[in-house]
Amino acid sequence: MVVRGGEFDAGETIDTADGRVQLRFLDGASMSLQPATRFRIEDFHFAVQDGKASGDDRGIFSLIKGGFRTITGLIGKERREQYRVDTAVATIGIRGTDYYAHLGEAGLSVSTFGGLVEVCSGAGCLQVGPGEVAIVSTHDSRPLLQGRLDGALDGSAVPGLPSSPVLSPEVVVPVVAPTRTMSSP
């Protein structure tokens, strides 16, 4: 069971069931996992060095199902080639950003609020800028722009990150060096 203030290790899977989980990473990233989400921390390493990300730092994650909103930290801003989120249909790479991703039966949908996201499937890649929405239906289909968020660049169109450090009944879990499956209360 996830507990407020608990820590995760690389290899752990988080299953939110019908709750939400807020994650805070050592590099300053924040992530809000939505209800019915399975998310895995594949590899996370961040060694604080004068407030900058090093060449050894990385954040590699898997979205198995469900959705999340995230604002990337130093790894995503300074070492973007060392950050990615893998899904069954595509991989998400970033350019220091604020974005939302959802993986369901219809495929992957990615909405960007700030920065730039690159969505790559087996058929190609697409850059998704602020206010844009992209979809990928299968691993063998090209990512396509679906439309724009129309004035919702603040993220109000999707569940977001907390405005305060902790919002009940959500659980805030700092990731230290993100091997067990976790479920929210």
Side-chain angles (χ1 to χ4, degrees), residues 19-144:
R20 296 179 189 268
V21 174
Q22 302 289 333
L23 301 175
R24 293 214 184 14
F25 294 84
L26 288 176
D27 71 335
S30 295
M31 184 174 288
S32 175
L33 302 179
Q34 305 307 306
T37 295
R38 284 196 63 137
F39 183 83
R40 185 171 173 84
I41 301 165
E42 300 292 349
D43 190 8
F44 182 84
H45 179 270
F46 181 73
V48 180
Q49 296 178 343
D50 299 324
K52 295 188 179 274
S54 76
D56 293 330
D57 294 337
R58 63 199 161 277
I60 301 171
F61 312 98
S62 292
L63 177 61
I64 301 161
K65 73 172 188 171
F68 67 87
R69 175 150 181 221
T70 187
I71 298 175
T72 58
L74 289 175
I75 295 171
K77 292 174 182 163
E78 298 176 2
R79 300 290 180 173
R80 60 184 187 232
E81 69 284 354
Q82 293 167 208
Y83 172 99
R84 75 172 189 265
V85 177
D86 296 320
T87 74
V89 298
T91 297
I92 302 167
I94 51 95
R95 306 292 179 262
T97 192
D98 174 0
Y99 72 98
Y100 175 80
H102 184 269
L103 179 65
E105 290 182 21
L108 177 67
S109 171
V110 177
S111 305
T112 304
F113 303 107
L116 188 66
V117 172
E118 184 172 55
V119 180
C120 295
S121 69
C125 294
L126 176 68
Q127 292 191 352
V128 186
E132 294 180 330
V133 178
I135 58 166
V136 185
S137 54
T138 68
H139 177 71
D140 296 327
S141 63
R142 287 186 90 74
L144 301 171

Side-chain angles (χ1 to χ4, degrees), residues 8-21:
F8 286 93
D9 293 315
E12 292 200 58
T13 298
I14 303 155
D15 185 357
T16 64
D18 61 353
R20 296 179 189 268
V21 174

